[in-house]
Amino acid sequence: MAERTTKRVTPPIASAIERSSAPLPTRRARVRYWSIIGLLGVLSLAFAFGLLAWDNPLPFGTDGFWRIASLRATSIVVIGVVAVCQSLATVSFQTVTNNRIVTPSIMGFESLYVAVQTSSVYVFGVAGLTFVAGTGQFVLQIAIMVGFAMLLYGWLLSGRYANLQIMLLIGIIIGGGLGSVSTFMQRLLTPSEFDVLAARLFGNISHADAADLPVAIPLVIVAATLLVWRAKRLDVLALGRDVSMSLGIDHRRELMRVLLLVAVLMAVSTALIGPMTFLGFLVATLAYQFADTFDHRRVFLMAVLTCFTILSGAYFVLRNVFAAQGVVSIIIELVGGTVFLIVILRKGRL
Amino acid sequence: MTTAKPTPRAASRGRLFDWKLLIGVAVVGGLLVLSLTTGVYDVAGADDGAEMFAITRVPRTISLVLAGAAMAMSGLVMQLLTQNRFVEPTTTGTTEWAGLGLLVVMILVPNAPIPLRMVGAVLAAFVGTMVFFLVLRRISLRSSLIVPIVGIMLGAVVGAVSTYVALATDMLQNLGVWFAGSFTSVLRGQYEMLWLVALVCVAVFVAADRFTVAGLGEEIATNVGLDYNRVILLGTALIAIATGIVTVVVGNLPFLGLIVPNIVSMLRGDDLRSNLPWVALLGIGIVTLCDLVGRTIIMPFEVPVSLILGIVGAVVFILLLLRQRRRG
């Protein structure tokens, strides 16, 4: 990160010359920002179109072509929903925790998802999975996750000894405890039951059920709009607890609100496609580099586009070039995890 | 490290054994006897009872002692070396690395003998622990709570790699079985390598003073004439050996290394030398108790000890965190 810190030194001087305190102070910064946005936008469109059109047996523009394309459109919508969820949630979470290493998905959501899925197979057998599929279960799963998050925040972020880091750790530990319960149940499954379950324990776009989208999309739109609407407050929160309090923000209440919205977004994403631990981290890290600003609205836009490009690009390449669509999420996780390791080793502090 | 300063005592060695420790030994001894006599098979009545006793019960009880003591002491050493109370092999990724090493050996050499698997697990655990120490040195820590968060995330990365490898080679369910610590499969002829961790325990006892000095930080340790890096290397090697071997023979014993040293220092203060026997004893006691619960709760079947330990450990850990929160 050495080159970043040196880069950081220049804008204030330049802005002093131009007499501007805007998020992208110099002309160069603005050109850079918008050209990256443009590039990512073009790439997103290209990959989305590629997912619709590649290998489509009918010629472009005919009725049959659009019929096949519309069947595939669901997965594009799902990618869009996931991109919005993961990127907004991670960026906001990292801002309020004042830490660019953590991701919201370690907060026990994934263990909760795994525990719910495993126990349904454990109790009801393979038939349990058909039982847990369906919109009712989708809503239930989101409700369980958000409820869990509310309990945790309400318990640990209120009162005299409120401490965000302790809350994070307790979330992780509860996740670990749930993990050992799940592992135990998985042990008792027959191999065939386990295979069916294992397919559901990895994030996969094709898990998403189109029937769930009417529930998921409004939830995401509401949560995302609220976050974007409050982005200016996030800018202030990023200055740290003490500074934001002296600037007149009710820090604890703002924190709870943001975390609740993050919980909703993460719950929708996890319930829709399964756990993706390092996608958010990867996207947020790249977005900070690309955007090079502390203005949240601009970082949000960059992060959503980056996430959409990564997800759709990975699916397009792996599906059509390597014919390996099942492992997309695992490869994204590996790349994200590696980036995580590199960042943590290169970075001088947290 | 808490700020409580133990008063300098010339005769601190005298306190190594006192009557409280004897009572502790007696209680844990009682638990071990109970462990020897608990089981579905009637060893006293059946004709081949004595033989079954020697094949299953004795190895199981011995491995409870060895694994419990080793993991608790590894946790203690790790907490000293990192100067952080929330660190132990499962919150630093060491067990995940050991699992990855084991997996790699199993794939490269399908019918690998146990010693070979252990070499793989130990080497990977060593690498992983060194990576963790490297990370800790690179980052300046504004809060002690960040350390376990970073460690758990590192573990998650390694866990993702293991999962991917296991999925690609169709070993996912095996992986789950290995990671879930259980003493069920500990039989005569399969656990003997575990005796190596007894050597680790002895080594920790011998080097205890050095670890204590290293726990004061690099500058102070170097000032009083300690080769700090060598002590770190020694500690890492001991932790890696203990974790690697225990992972291969028994599996993952979550939170044990975390809760035992914390409870001991809460009750007795931070006098490492006289605490060490207590740490070993409490480690043995907790593992044995959890194993007994696991064996009796759904008799004639068994719940793996890692499940009980995971739940108990999570609860104790959370209580510890809340206590820390009170202190600010």
Side-chain angles (χ1 to χ4, degrees):
Chain A
M1 291 288 145
E3 72 273 31
R4 266 193 75 157
T5 39
T6 47
K7 225 188 279 167
R8 276 283 138 65
V9 179
T10 23
I13 304 165
S15 66
I17 296 163
E18 287 194 12
R19 290 197 162 276
S20 159
S21 59
L24 297 166
T26 59
R27 203 183 128 70
R28 224 180 114 208
R30 280 192 292 276
V31 170
R32 181 171 174 271
Y33 178 84
W34 287 110
S35 44
I36 295 177
I37 289 279
L39 181 68
L40 287 175
V42 171
L43 277 176
S44 303
L45 282 178
F47 284 134
F49 181 73
L51 281 175
L52 290 181
W54 192 276
D55 234 4
N56 196 327
L58 295 165
F60 178 73
T62 59
D63 278 354
F65 172 85
W66 288 113
R67 203 166 293 150
I68 291 176
S70 67
L71 288 177
R72 296 178 181 184
T74 309
S75 60
I76 307 240
V77 176
V78 172
I79 289 176
V81 170
V82 171
V84 171
C85 286
Q86 293 274 350
S87 48
L88 293 195
T90 310
V91 171
S92 315
F93 189 75
Q94 293 189 343
T95 295
V96 295
T97 54
N98 243 318
N99 188 320
R100 288 194 176 174
I101 300 290
V102 297
T103 88
S105 51
I106 55 169
M107 281 287 305
F109 292 128
E110 306 197 336
S111 319
L112 209 55
Y113 172 85
V114 171
V116 169
Q117 298 286 331
T118 307
S119 46
S120 59
V121 176
Y122 179 71
V123 176
F124 301 107
V126 176
L129 273 182
T130 46
F131 174 78
V132 295
T135 315
Q137 184 270 341
F138 179 73
V139 174
L140 186 70
Q141 187 138 90
I142 292 179
I144 290 177
M145 288 183 197
V146 175
F148 166 74
M150 300 256 302
L151 275 179
L152 203 61
Y153 304 155
W155 170 38
L156 291 167
L157 283 182
S158 54
R160 211 144 49 92
Y161 304 109
N163 182 328
L164 185 67
Q165 281 169 342
I166 284 185
M167 186 205 77
L168 275 181
L169 254 188
I170 289 183
I172 296 175
I173 300 302
I174 292 177
L178 280 173
S180 44
V181 178
S182 304
T183 312
F184 170 62
M185 288 191 284
Q186 286 171 17
R187 239 175 114 98
L188 299 182
L189 295 179
T190 64
S192 60
E193 280 172 336
F194 182 79
D195 278 349
V196 176
L197 175 68
R200 289 197 63 93
L201 295 185
F202 299 101
N204 193 340
I205 297 294
S206 40
H207 284 169
D209 188 348
D212 296 337
L213 287 175
V215 182
I217 291 176
L219 268 177
V220 171
I221 288 178
V222 170
T225 315
L226 283 174
L227 272 179
V228 173
W229 185 43
R230 306 186 83 79
K232 295 283 176 203
R233 281 161 185 258
L234 281 173
D235 294 346
V236 180
L237 282 178
L239 299 172
R241 183 168 172 274
D242 296 341
V243 177
S244 59
M245 273 168 79
S246 64
L247 287 172
I249 279 196
D250 184 346
H251 185 267
R252 191 179 291 166
R253 241 174 81 189
E254 203 55 39
L255 187 68
M256 298 265 270
R257 279 189 196 146
V258 174
L259 285 177
L260 182 65
L261 294 176
V262 168
V264 170
L265 289 174
M266 289 309 295
V268 170
S269 166
T270 310
L272 198 61
I273 62 160
M276 291 278 236
T277 312
F278 289 106
L279 175 66
F281 174 81
L282 180 66
V283 166
T285 307
L286 288 175
Y288 294 132
Q289 297 283 340
F290 291 158
D292 199 20
T293 171
F294 288 105
D295 180 29
H296 275 83
R297 290 196 181 153
R298 289 180 166 78
V299 176
F300 279 161
L301 178 63
M302 187 66 88
V304 172
L305 278 177
T306 311
C307 194
F308 191 89
T309 309
I310 289 178
L311 271 178
S312 58
Y315 268 85
F316 180 73
V317 170
L318 286 169
R319 178 187 283 183
N320 297 315
V321 181
F322 297 108
Q325 98 187 71
V327 298
V328 174
S329 64
I330 298 174
I331 286 174
I332 292 178
E333 293 292 275
L334 282 186
V335 173
T338 316
V339 170
F340 173 77
L341 279 177
I342 293 169
V343 166
I344 212 175
L345 280 175
R346 279 187 56 198
K347 206 163 180 166
R349 58 182 190 82
L350 281 174
Chain B
M1 299 281 106
T2 58
T3 46
K5 291 189 194 83
T7 42
R9 229 176 292 101
S12 110
R13 273 154 204 255
R15 270 195 355 151
L16 203 54
F17 296 102
D18 59 3
W19 58 274
K20 281 186 204 155
L21 189 67
L22 287 180
I23 293 178
V25 171
V27 170
V28 173
L31 283 175
L32 291 175
V33 170
L34 210 57
S35 161
L36 283 174
T37 52
T38 304
V40 178
Y41 197 84
D42 178 17
V43 285
D47 291 340
D48 53 355
E51 201 183 336
M52 286 301 281
F53 189 73
I55 291 174
T56 67
R57 299 284 169 78
V58 174
R60 183 164 187 153
T61 305
I62 291 173
S63 60
L64 282 172
V65 171
L66 292 173
M71 290 316 283
M73 286 164 77
S74 309
L76 179 66
V77 171
M78 220 159 182
Q79 287 174 15
L80 280 175
L81 295 185
T82 56
Q83 295 178 285
N84 187 302
R85 284 216 180 273
F86 297 115
V87 159
E88 65 118 11
T90 46
T91 57
T92 57
T94 305
T95 36
E96 277 87 354
W97 280 93
L100 181 64
L102 174 65
L103 190 65
V104 168
V105 171
M106 291 297 284
I107 289 165
L108 293 181
V109 190
N111 292 316
I114 290 177
L116 188 62
R117 293 187 207 174
M118 281 179 185
V119 170
V122 169
L123 283 182
F126 185 75
V127 170
T129 315
M130 285 316 269
V131 167
F132 180 73
F133 281 134
L134 199 67
V135 168
L136 279 194
R137 282 188 168 203
R138 288 287 193 98
I139 56 182
S140 72
L141 298 164
R142 280 178 302 176
S143 155
S144 61
L145 295 170
I146 286 292
V147 175
I149 293 177
V150 169
I152 291 170
M153 298 268 305
L154 277 176
V157 175
V158 179
V161 174
S162 300
T163 310
Y164 173 62
V165 173
L167 189 71
T169 51
D170 217 0
M171 299 228 270
L172 200 56
Q173 201 166 10
N174 287 342
L175 190 73
V177 173
W178 285 331
F179 273 162
S182 165
F183 290 92
T184 313
S185 59
V186 173
L187 299 173
R188 191 168 66 190
Q190 288 186 9
Y191 83 102
E192 280 78 1
M193 297 299 282
L194 210 53
W195 279 108
L196 285 176
V197 303
L199 296 179
V200 173
C201 294
V202 172
V204 172
F205 266 104
V206 171
D209 290 337
R210 282 168 210 218
F211 291 134
T212 312
V213 177
L216 296 173
E218 179 165 11
E219 272 130 48
I220 296 175
T222 314
N223 252 341
V224 298
L226 187 78
D227 188 342
Y228 182 75
N229 287 327
R230 226 168 86 194
V231 174
I232 292 277
L233 214 60
L234 173 70
T236 314
L238 292 178
I239 295 163
I241 293 173
T243 312
I245 293 178
V246 171
T247 303
V248 171
V249 178
V250 180
N252 188 358
L253 295 176
F255 301 123
L256 187 64
L258 187 91
I259 57 178
V260 171
N262 275 299
I263 291 175
V264 170
S265 81
M266 226 190 272
L267 296 178
R268 296 177 46 91
D270 277 336
D271 181 5
L272 172 76
R273 217 188 151 72
S274 72
N275 276 359
L276 258 180
W278 281 100
V279 168
L281 198 63
L282 195 60
I284 297 169
I286 289 180
V287 172
T288 312
L289 199 61
C290 288
D291 189 53
L292 277 173
V293 171
R295 279 151 84 173
T296 45
I297 200 167
I298 50 165
M299 241 167 155
F301 303 107
E302 278 189 30
V303 181
V305 69
S306 67
L307 174 75
I308 312 266
L309 209 52
I311 294 168
V312 174
V315 172
V316 175
F317 191 12
I318 288 172
L319 291 178
L320 286 174
L321 281 170
L322 293 178
R323 213 179 96 99
Q324 157 111 358
R325 181 166 95 133
R326 289 272 138 74
R327 281 201 249 119

